[in-house]
Amino acid sequence: MDMGLFMVWLRWAPGNGGQRQAVVPGPGGQPVRGDARINKVLTAVRMFLLHAVVNKAAPAWVLEQLYELGDDRDLPVEARGESGGMQYRLRARHRLQEPETEVDRASDEEVVAMLRACRSARDRLIVLLLSRVGLRPGQVAGLHRCDVHLLMDSRSLGCGVEGAHLHVIRRQNVNGAWSKSRKSWVMPVDFLVVQAADQYAVERYEILGEGGSDFLLVNLFRPPFGSPVTTGAIGELCESLSGRAGLGRRVGPRMCRHAMAGNVVDAGGTLDEVQALLGQKNPASPRPYLHPDRARLRAAVDRVASPRLTEGETR
C-alpha cells in the first residue's frame, strides 16, 4: 500500500468516466483534482481502512501506514485536554497543505437586501438566525420548537434564563442537522428575531394548523409539507436570496455568522463575549470572525495621542 503514489494518481489521473487514459504528471499538465478534494478522498480511504482493521478484515500494520503517533506537546495550552496529563493522538501521514481561505463577512447592506428579497416569514427568520444570532446552518435546521423561549420570563416553561433566548442543543436529528459545538448553550436574541419568529408562527399555523413536526423550521411551500428543513436547503436559500437581491456575489451562511460576530465587536463587545455567543470552547476560536469596521479602525488611530516634546527638552 503506497499512499504517496495514490496521491499522485489522484492529482493527475483524468476522470470523465474513464474515457481518457493518459496520465500527465508534472507542471506540463493541469491537475485533475485540487488539494482539498484529494484530502477528502484520503480521509474517506483512511476511515474505510480503519473500519476494516477494527473488524479484523485488514491487518493491524495498515494503521502504521496511515497514521503516526503524536502527543499534545506541540499544541497550544488552550487546545490541550483538561485532565492535566499528556495525551496521545493519531496524525495522518498523508495530507496536503491546503491554502487558508479567509471568509469575508456579509455587510449590513447585504443582509438587509437579503431580508427584503425573502418571500416568506420563515425565510426572514432563517436569515436573522444566521446573521443576527450567528448560528451555523446545522444549528438552525436542528432547532426544535421547545428550544425557543421568547418570553421575558420563561419560568412557566421550566427555564430560569431571563429574557428571550434560544437553547442550542447538540442532538441526533432526522433531517441530518448537527450542531458542531459539543456543548449546549443559551443564545440571547433581540426584538427583531422575536418579531420574525412571531410572524413565522402565524404563517406556519395558517398553512399547517397544529400539524407539522416538532422542528422549528419546516417545509411550508413544497412537499413533504411539515417536515423539517435541511442544512442544504438553508445554503440553497442563501444562494437564491443573493441572486434575487442582486448582490453580485453569493453570501453564504458562514458570511452571515461572521457578520454577527463582527457587529458584536464593532458595538464594543469583547472576545470572551463573542466566544460565548458563538458557542466556542477555545478562546482563540473567535479571532477568524473578527472583521473590524473601517470607521472603528479610523477611530482607533485618531485616539492615539500626538507625540509632544516634554518640558525642558530641546528642539
Side-chain angles (χ1 to χ4, degrees), residues 103-144:
V103 178
D104 192 12
R105 58 160 290 175
S107 66
D108 292 342
E109 292 77 13
E110 288 174 328
V111 172
V112 171
M114 293 174 66
L115 287 170
R116 288 176 175 170
C118 290
R119 296 172 178 171
S120 67
R122 184 203 62 184
D123 292 352
R124 287 193 294 271
L125 177 59
I126 291 175
V127 173
L128 287 175
L129 289 174
L130 294 171
S131 62
R132 192 76 179 175
V133 184
L135 298 182
R136 294 185 172 94
Q139 294 165 344
V140 173
L143 284 174
H144 290 229

Side-chain angles (χ1 to χ4, degrees), residues 167-179:
H167 290 268
V168 184
I169 301 173
R170 190 182 196 184
R171 55 164 73 94
Q172 294 284 351
N173 293 304
V174 295
N175 61 347
W178 184 255
S179 175

Side-chain angles (χ1 to χ4, degrees), residues 41-100:
V41 174
L42 293 175
T43 299
V45 171
R46 282 195 294 267
M47 292 300 100
F48 176 80
L49 292 174
L50 179 61
H51 177 78
V53 171
V54 171
N55 289 275
K56 311 299 182 183
W61 60 262
V62 170
L63 292 182
E64 299 177 1
Q65 305 296 316
L66 301 176
Y67 299 99
E68 60 181 11
L69 185 64
D71 54 52
D72 60 1
R73 287 178 294 179
D74 61 331
L75 298 177
V77 176
E78 296 85 355
R80 299 179 186 177
E82 300 178 356
S83 62
M86 185 171 63
Q87 297 184 0
Y88 293 93
R89 71 187 193 277
L90 293 177
R91 293 187 293 194
R93 290 183 178 274
H94 304 88
R95 182 176 179 83
L96 296 174
Q97 185 67 35
E98 300 178 31
E100 294 185 5

Side-chain angles (χ1 to χ4, degrees), residues 18-282:
Q19 297 178 5
R20 296 171 56 193
Q21 302 297 326
V23 178
V24 187
Q30 182 69 23
V32 177
R33 301 171 184 86
D35 293 347
R37 178 62 177 168
I38 293 175
N39 282 335
K40 290 178 181 178
V41 174
L42 293 175
T43 299
V45 171
R46 282 195 294 267
M47 292 300 100
F48 176 80
L49 292 174
L50 179 61
H51 177 78
V53 171
V54 171
N55 289 275
K56 311 299 182 183
W61 60 262
V62 170
L63 292 182
E64 299 177 1
Q65 305 296 316
L66 301 176
Y67 299 99
E68 60 181 11
L69 185 64
D71 54 52
D72 60 1
R73 287 178 294 179
D74 61 331
L75 298 177
V77 176
E78 296 85 355
R80 299 179 186 177
E82 300 178 356
S83 62
M86 185 171 63
Q87 297 184 0
Y88 293 93
R89 71 187 193 277
L90 293 177
R91 293 187 293 194
R93 290 183 178 274
H94 304 88
R95 182 176 179 83
L96 296 174
Q97 185 67 35
E98 300 178 31
E100 294 185 5
T101 56
E102 183 178 351
V103 178
D104 192 12
R105 58 160 290 175
S107 66
D108 292 342
E109 292 77 13
E110 288 174 328
V111 172
V112 171
M114 293 174 66
L115 287 170
R116 288 176 175 170
C118 290
R119 296 172 178 171
S120 67
R122 184 203 62 184
D123 292 352
R124 287 193 294 271
L125 177 59
I126 291 175
V127 173
L128 287 175
L129 289 174
L130 294 171
S131 62
R132 192 76 179 175
V133 184
L135 298 182
R136 294 185 172 94
Q139 294 165 344
V140 173
L143 284 174
H144 290 229
R145 287 191 280 186
C146 59
D147 300 332
V148 182
H149 297 167
L150 302 182
L151 302 175
M152 294 303 298
D153 189 341
S154 299
R155 284 179 293 182
S156 60
L157 304 176
C159 176
V161 179
E162 296 183 1
H165 62 276
L166 306 173
H167 290 268
V168 184
I169 301 173
R170 190 182 196 184
R171 55 164 73 94
Q172 294 284 351
N173 293 304
V174 295
N175 61 347
W178 184 255
S179 175
K180 183 178 179 181
S181 302
R182 294 179 179 274
K183 69 172 185 177
S184 301
W185 83 96
V186 174
M187 181 67 195
V189 298
D190 63 5
F191 75 97
L192 291 175
V193 177
V194 174
Q195 185 181 58
D198 289 343
Q199 293 173 349
Y200 165 64
V202 173
E203 179 181 72
R204 172 172 171 157
Y205 182 79
E206 290 177 346
I207 297 175
L208 299 178
E210 296 292 344
S213 68
D214 183 55
F215 284 81
L216 174 65
L217 299 165
V218 297
N219 290 338
L220 299 179
F221 311 107
R222 63 182 180 183
F225 297 101
S227 63
V229 301
T230 63
T231 302
I234 293 177
E236 294 172 1
L237 173 64
C238 290
E239 183 174 3
S240 176
L241 292 176
S242 299
R244 291 208 302 263
L247 300 182
R249 65 170 182 168
R250 180 186 181 276
V251 175
R254 289 184 64 192
M255 297 170 65
C256 293
R257 179 172 165 88
H258 279 246
M260 177 270 180
N263 283 335
V264 169
V265 175
D266 289 340
T270 58
L271 279 181
D272 62 323
E273 292 172 343
V274 175
Q275 177 190 351
L277 291 174
L278 295 180
Q280 296 172 328
K281 181 179 179 180
N282 191 333

Side-chain angles (χ1 to χ4, degrees), residues 6-13 30-35 38 96:
F6 180 54
M7 294 169 66
V8 174
W9 183 89
L10 285 174
R11 180 175 292 278
W12 301 108
Q30 182 69 23
V32 177
R33 301 171 184 86
D35 293 347
I38 293 175
L96 296 174

